[in-house]
Amino acid sequence: MCRDTAQRSVTDVGRHFLQIPGPTNVPDRVLRAIARPTIDHRGPAFARLARELLDRLKPVFGTRHDVVVYPSSGTGAWEAALVNTLSPGDRVLAFETGHFSTLWCEMATRLGLVVDLVPGDWRHGADPAAITDLLTAEHAAVMVVHNETSTGVRSRIPEIRDAMDATGHPALLLVDTISSLGSMEYRHDDWGVDVTVGCSQKGLMLPPGIGFNAVGPKALARRGRLPRSYWDWDPIIAANRQGFFPYTPPTNLLYGLREALIMLEEEGLPRVFARHDRHAEATRRAVRAWGLQVLCADEREHSSSLTAVLMPDGHDADAVRSLILERYDMSLGTGLGRLAGRVFRIGHLGHFNDLMLAGTLGGVEMGLLG
């Protein structure tokens, strides 16, 4: 057998390592739950499932209040957060912390909002000190991505809330937790967040297809005038009181969500967060041992869900990713936007243990050695 044929055959055996920052690996328990027969979404068995789910979701968000569930991507949950709270022409203050923060701002602009974007270098999170200088009486909301999936940088949400409170400003705080929910500590109520955006395919260990809004009382009371129908909270919350939805729900994904939430409860959220912290620290130490840089430049803002690795000038991160995929059957996250070709991203979130991390880091190291 020639060497090239032998090399290609490596990818035909064993498991594929899916180490992008989401969608993440789906546990067998969750896959089996999703495979259950579909039931009548207007019947009593579904009502029991829905009530159980809605109760189990609240601790993951750190809230005692309503969590709205949509058959959608996280992008849909972004839109729901905006159209339920804001009116045409409202000003919002947002922070450029990476590719996804800019996409959320672009959506807000298309919806008829005026976005005041605080520029960033994509290596730091949102700056709480900027709140004091930039938040004006015209701002209706502040938009922040808690954990920027494109950069591996976390923003310090409690400090941002404290800065807003110090000004006495009534603006709503809208936070994206798409790549932190279920993987990193997050406290919707205690941190004074008004709307939290989340989705299913990352720390919650599910396939894509469910979006979430955790809704605080201030957001629920201050309803905007942007057009909305499918995304309207009111009919969903009303139907949820009886265990139902105003549209056809993703029943089988909800079976999987229940199983995923049970798994998080069995491990215990503090242990889940500690596991992610440990894996992230181990990954950063490996990156430094390789002689490379972690993209995140502030020790206080390291993500526990993923690590973005900055390649030296003259080296193509996508070439490294392609080599690792071809030789070792491992998928790493690509660089997005201005980071295209400059970084690769290692996902270490969700259903993930020490040996999986050791295999991941070993695969990256072999790829770097060429």
Side-chain angles (χ1 to χ4, degrees):
M1 180 184 293
C2 73
R3 183 180 184 279
D4 288 346
T5 302
Q7 189 67 67
R8 285 196 300 272
S9 69
V10 169
T11 62
D12 298 331
V13 296
R15 56 155 287 189
H16 174 67
F17 271 67
L18 181 67
Q19 302 314 142
I20 62 175
T24 60
N25 300 287
V26 180
D28 289 344
R29 282 175 59 175
V30 173
L31 290 172
R32 288 193 295 269
I34 292 171
R36 291 184 57 185
T38 302
I39 59 174
D40 175 13
H41 61 280
R42 306 294 182 195
F46 181 86
R48 290 192 294 272
L49 170 66
R51 290 195 192 97
E52 177 186 351
L53 276 176
L54 294 168
D55 285 341
R56 289 184 184 275
L57 270 172
K58 292 179 180 180
V60 178
F61 284 89
T63 187
R64 303 179 304 278
H65 304 293
D66 291 304
V67 178
V68 176
V69 177
Y70 296 102
S72 79
S73 65
T75 305
W78 273 352
E79 183 164 337
L82 297 173
V83 299
N84 277 284
T85 58
L86 300 170
S87 299
D90 276 352
R91 299 190 81 90
V92 296
L93 182 64
F95 293 84
E96 183 196 8
T97 53
H99 181 69
F100 292 101
S101 67
T102 61
L103 290 181
W104 199 8
C105 291
E106 289 172 7
M107 173 188 284
T109 300
R110 290 196 300 272
L111 290 170
L113 303 172
V114 178
V115 180
D116 293 326
L117 182 61
V118 182
D121 63 2
W122 292 32
R123 301 194 68 179
H124 295 82
D127 181 7
I131 294 287
T132 304
D133 297 329
L134 299 176
L135 194 60
T136 71
E138 296 181 353
H139 287 117
V142 175
M143 295 166 46
V144 185
V145 175
H146 179 220
N147 188 70
E148 175 55 67
T149 316
S150 66
T151 64
V153 176
R154 134 178 30 195
S155 288
R156 290 166 279 147
I157 303 301
E159 293 181 36
I160 291 169
R161 178 77 261 180
D162 288 345
M164 292 173 66
D165 290 346
T167 69
H169 200 290
L172 298 174
L173 178 56
L174 314 181
V175 178
D176 167 343
T177 65
I178 285 173
S179 62
S180 58
L181 186 69
S183 301
M184 296 161 56
E185 183 180 33
Y186 186 79
R187 302 180 183 181
H188 175 95
D189 291 356
D190 292 347
W191 293 354
V193 180
D194 297 298
V195 185
T196 296
V197 174
C199 70
S200 57
Q201 74 268 22
K202 297 182 187 285
L204 294 185
M205 305 177 288
L206 288 160
I210 305 180
F212 305 100
N213 281 172
V215 183
K218 184 177 168 183
L220 198 58
R222 192 193 302 178
R223 308 306 297 283
R225 299 188 308 279
L226 282 173
R228 57 184 179 268
S229 176
Y230 180 81
W231 304 115
D232 193 353
W233 290 335
D234 291 337
I236 302 171
I237 292 173
N240 284 171
R241 300 283 186 244
Q242 306 303 317
F244 299 110
F245 288 80
Y247 44 67
T248 305
T251 305
N252 288 69
L253 282 177
L254 296 181
Y255 282 142
L257 176 58
R258 176 173 61 184
E259 193 65 28
L261 293 171
I262 290 171
M263 291 177 68
L264 291 175
E265 290 170 8
E266 288 173 351
E267 185 175 359
L269 285 175
R271 292 188 182 90
V272 171
F273 301 149
R275 170 169 56 84
H276 282 77
D277 291 345
R278 185 177 72 254
H279 289 160
E281 176 61 25
T283 302
R284 292 191 294 270
R285 292 188 186 192
V287 171
R288 295 178 186 121
W290 298 330
L292 299 176
Q293 290 186 60
V294 173
L295 182 68
C296 179
D298 188 328
E299 292 285 339
R300 300 170 297 174
E301 296 176 338
H302 284 309
S303 168
S304 293
S305 298
L306 71 133
T307 300
V309 182
L310 184 62
M311 293 295 290
D313 290 342
H315 294 268
D316 185 353
D318 287 337
V320 173
R321 290 177 52 253
S322 295
L323 183 150
I324 290 171
L325 177 61
E326 178 184 348
R327 292 190 181 178
Y328 309 117
D329 199 19
M330 180 163 68
S331 295
L332 300 172
T334 187
L336 299 172
R338 70 168 72 165
L339 296 175
R342 297 181 59 208
V343 306
F344 62 87
R345 294 173 296 145
I346 304 171
H348 36 72
L349 71 162
H351 189 56
F352 195 68
N353 62 29
D354 291 359
L355 285 179
M356 293 167 74
L357 178 65
T360 299
L361 296 178
V364 174
E365 183 165 341
M366 288 189 294
L368 291 170
L369 290 172

